[in-house]
Structure formats: C-alpha cells, structure tokens
Amino acid sequence: MAHVWGGIIREYLDHMPFAEGDPIVTLGEGGTPLVHAPTLSSTVGAEVFIKVEGMNPSGSFKDRGMTSAMTQVVKDGDHTVVCASTGNTSASAAAYAAHAGLTCVVMLPVGKIAAGKMAQAIVHGAKLVQVDGNFDECLDIVRDLSERYPVALVNSVNPYRLQGQKSAAFEIVDQLGDAPDIHMLPVGNAGNISAYWMGFKEYADAGLATRRPRIWGVQAEGAAPFVRGHPIKDPETVATAIRIGNPASWDLAIAARDESGGWIRAVSDAEILAAQALLAGDVGIFVEPASAAPIAGLLAAAAKGDVPRGATITCTVTGNGLKDTATALAGREIEPVVIPVDVEAAAAALGL
Ligand code: AN7
C-alpha cells in the first residue's frame, strides 16, 4: 500500500519530544517537494534544489513548528495561545488553534501584514490585536503577557517550535540521499536557521547523513541585524515577513553560521523582487518576497565567485506567493485583452 503522510511528528517520531499515544495536533504538514532548478543551476554553476515550504497547510514553514508547539499546549492542558507575528506565524497558529479547539490571540504590527496572511488569521477565528509598533515590540508584549497571564506563547522562543521545524532538514537529507554541501534560507527572527542546523546535526549524529552542510543565511538590507552585528531599531523592507530588527534566536543563529562554516549576508529589496520574479518565471514556483531572499543571495554570491563549482545547494523558500499578490504585481504592466466569444478573434489576439 502507498505510504500516507502522517505529518512531521508521526513521520519523525524517533527524533521528536513526543511519544506514541500523545494527542498530536496535525494538519498533515511537511512532506514538501524538493524541486531541482536546472536553469538556476547553470546560472550559478551548482546543482540547486528548492525546498517548497509554501506547500504546507497554511502556506508556510511555520506549520512544522506549530504542530509540535500546539501538541505540547494540548498535553499541558492550556486553552489559549498567543503569538506576535509578521503574518505567517499568526496564520499558522490560528489554523492549528482552530483545529485543536483552542483560543488564539495574535499581536500584529499595524499596516505591515500581507493581505492573505491577515485573511488567514481572520477566517480561522483568531483574536486580532494590531499594535502601533513593529514585530520586535509585539514580541516584547506577548512575552510579558505569557509570563503574567494564563496564555501559552507559540513564537519560536517556545522550544517546541524549533523541534518541529528541524524536520525540514531531515526531509532534505531523505530526499537527496545525504546532506547538501550548502543550505540557504531567509533569516528574520532566526528560529528557522537555528532549527535547520539542529536538524542537520541530529541526522548526521544519528548516522543518517555523512556530513553537515554549510548554512548560508540571507537577510533584507534594511532589516539585517546579523550583518550589522547588532539589533536594528527601525527595520524596513518590502519583504514584510522578515521585517525584524531584534531576532529572538540570536545566539543559536550565530552558532549555526559559525559551527557550519557559513555566513549571513544581506540583499536589497530590488534583488529580492527580481529573485521572486525569476522563481515564478523560470522555476515555476510562486513565493512571497521574504522567501526569494536566499535566491537573491545565491545569485549575488555567484556573481562574486563565491559559489563552489558543482556544489549541491538546497534553498528553502519559506512561504507561498499567494499570501501577498499585491507586492508581486506592483510595478507590472498588465493589459488584459478582451475579445468577443469567437475563435478567430482569439487567434488574432494571439497573433496566430
Ligand atoms: C516567509 O510570521 O517571524 O528567521 O512572525 O514568514 O525563523 O523568523 C516570519 C518569518 C522567513 C523568517 N520567511 O524565519 C512571523 C515571522 C517567511 C517568514 C521568515 C519568516 P525566522
């Protein structure tokens, strides 16, 4: 019989802080495609694979961490979860809370959340609080709130989040047959880069990979605390998902970078948008702006001659492009042709 995917906790139970019989909260997350990108590969002189995390149930990688965080919340008998978010964490938390019958409170920077993500929080029934501040300030509030009130924090400072998110590294090794030479991903609050490094290390230590990859992280120029070497007060970028100036997992991200022999660099908003268009037009994958950052970083590294010839490089694209169509379409000339119901008019319109 064909294998039916059971979500990342069941699939990787031996590597998770849970046991058979635990009340697993899952929407079937994980098992996402790893897509070879031939044109991009020849452009950069390496073998490039794209890990398509926008295929998760709520459209982003956050679902991997939310299945584990929510399972622990249910085990603990808590009833209300809270998170700060640039949009994807709140969308995922709202979906998993709805599934588990929990109350979900989301704290969002006003005016800085993509429309699709806002819609997700609303339709899944989250209590929405908009804050006249940025993500970092929202995170400060929810951390305080969870210490003083009976609400469980499901941001990535909750260690169960990283436990789930490390499963993406396991999948990449399983899909490739070994770890890549280099793994690339966007860096915002820095939970994911920390989780991937944990996952790659765990798999190698268990003898399931022969090596660990170098980790190359990419930030947006206007929100690049790791590149500057200190927190940024007023982060700004078109990639609202990674509009973060004071990453919570600072030390873990630095460890991932340095232990792996990797780097964290920055790309401009223009490079991000160009990479988003390239992924959509040449690879066939529509991602949100933040997710295009690693591709922009890869192209910049190749232009500098920093990409080892023939290396196997995996890039995580973290969120689905449908969440933010306004940014994707801004600056594009769209002239729809309207024709009568007539095949000759259709042929004429197409220049056939
Ligand atoms: C598409 O939703 O922080 O470095 O509150 O949505 O693990 O934070 C989102 C982050 C990359 C950065 N790509 O990951 C939130 C939030 C997308 C994202 C990141 C985010 P981290």
Side-chain angles (χ1 to χ4, degrees), residues 61-62 85-89 135 186 188-192 241-242 244 288 318:
F61 73 100
K62 303 287 182 182
S85 185
T86 56
N88 280 324
T89 297
F135 167 83
N189 207 27
N192 217 26
I242 52 173
I244 296 172
E288 63 170 288
T318 41

Side-chain angles (χ1 to χ4, degrees), residues 26-327:
T26 179
L27 292 171
E29 62 294 314
T32 58
L34 185 69
V35 178
H36 186 229
T39 310
L40 184 57
S41 295
S42 53
T43 303
V44 302
E47 286 309 315
V48 182
F49 296 83
I50 312 291
K51 183 68 169 160
V52 190
E53 289 290 277
M55 293 285 285
N56 278 296
S58 83
S60 88
F61 73 100
K62 303 287 182 182
D63 296 342
R64 295 179 183 274
M66 222 44 88
T67 181
S68 44
M70 293 288 178
T71 296
Q72 188 60 33
V73 166
V74 169
K75 273 182 81 174
D76 290 342
D78 290 330
H79 298 291
T80 302
V81 297
V82 65
C83 67
S85 185
T86 56
N88 280 324
T89 297
S90 50
S92 182
Y96 282 76
H99 188 74
L102 304 168
T103 299
C104 180
V105 179
V106 304
M107 203 86 47
L108 310 174
V110 67
K112 296 294 178 183
I113 307 294
K117 301 173 187 178
M118 191 65 101
Q120 290 180 285
I122 294 167
V123 298
H124 291 306
K127 287 188 182 163
L128 224 132
V129 182
Q130 304 202 65
V131 179
D132 185 16
N134 61 30
F135 167 83
D136 304 296
E137 294 162 324
C138 292
L139 186 58
D140 285 344
I141 297 178
V142 295
R143 287 176 102 148
D144 249 21
L145 208 63
S146 69
E147 275 163 27
R148 293 161 57 180
Y149 298 89
V151 292
L153 186 60
V154 293
N155 279 104
S156 58
V157 290
N158 175 334
Y160 286 90
R161 279 280 310 278
L162 302 197
Q163 288 296 317
Q165 283 173 217
K166 73 184 179 186
S167 63
F170 299 163
E171 287 179 20
I172 287 172
V173 174
D174 290 342
Q175 287 166 316
L176 281 179
D178 204 344
D181 296 305
I182 295 161
H183 182 72
M184 300 192 67
L185 77 175
V187 179
N189 207 27
N192 217 26
I193 188 173
S194 308
Y196 268 82
W197 183 233
M198 191 192 300
F200 282 124
K201 280 197 297 187
E202 266 186 45
Y203 240 38
D205 291 348
L208 295 163
T210 65
R211 54 186 176 167
R212 304 156 168 191
R214 270 174 276 167
I215 305 287
W216 290 2
V218 183
Q219 302 207 278
E221 220 163 61
F226 288 110
V227 181
R228 309 279 167 251
H230 54 78
I232 305 286
K233 215 171 161 30
D234 295 306
E236 203 46 84
T237 169
V238 70
T240 52
I242 52 173
R243 187 175 172 271
I244 296 172
N246 187 17
S249 297
W250 185 279
D251 295 343
L252 288 174
I254 296 290
R257 182 193 69 186
D258 296 346
E259 286 173 21
S260 76
W263 47 246
I264 299 176
R265 293 182 184 171
V267 292
S268 69
D269 280 1
E271 289 176 292
I272 286 173
L273 294 175
Q276 182 189 33
L278 182 144
L279 271 171
D282 286 4
V283 188
I285 299 171
F286 184 20
V287 304
E288 63 170 288
S291 306
I295 307 304
L298 175 60
L299 292 168
K304 283 181 68 182
D306 287 348
V307 173
R309 184 132 211 102
T312 299
I313 303 180
T314 49
C315 297
T316 295
V317 294
T318 41
N320 199 303
L322 294 172
K323 287 168 175 276
D324 184 6
T325 54
T327 305

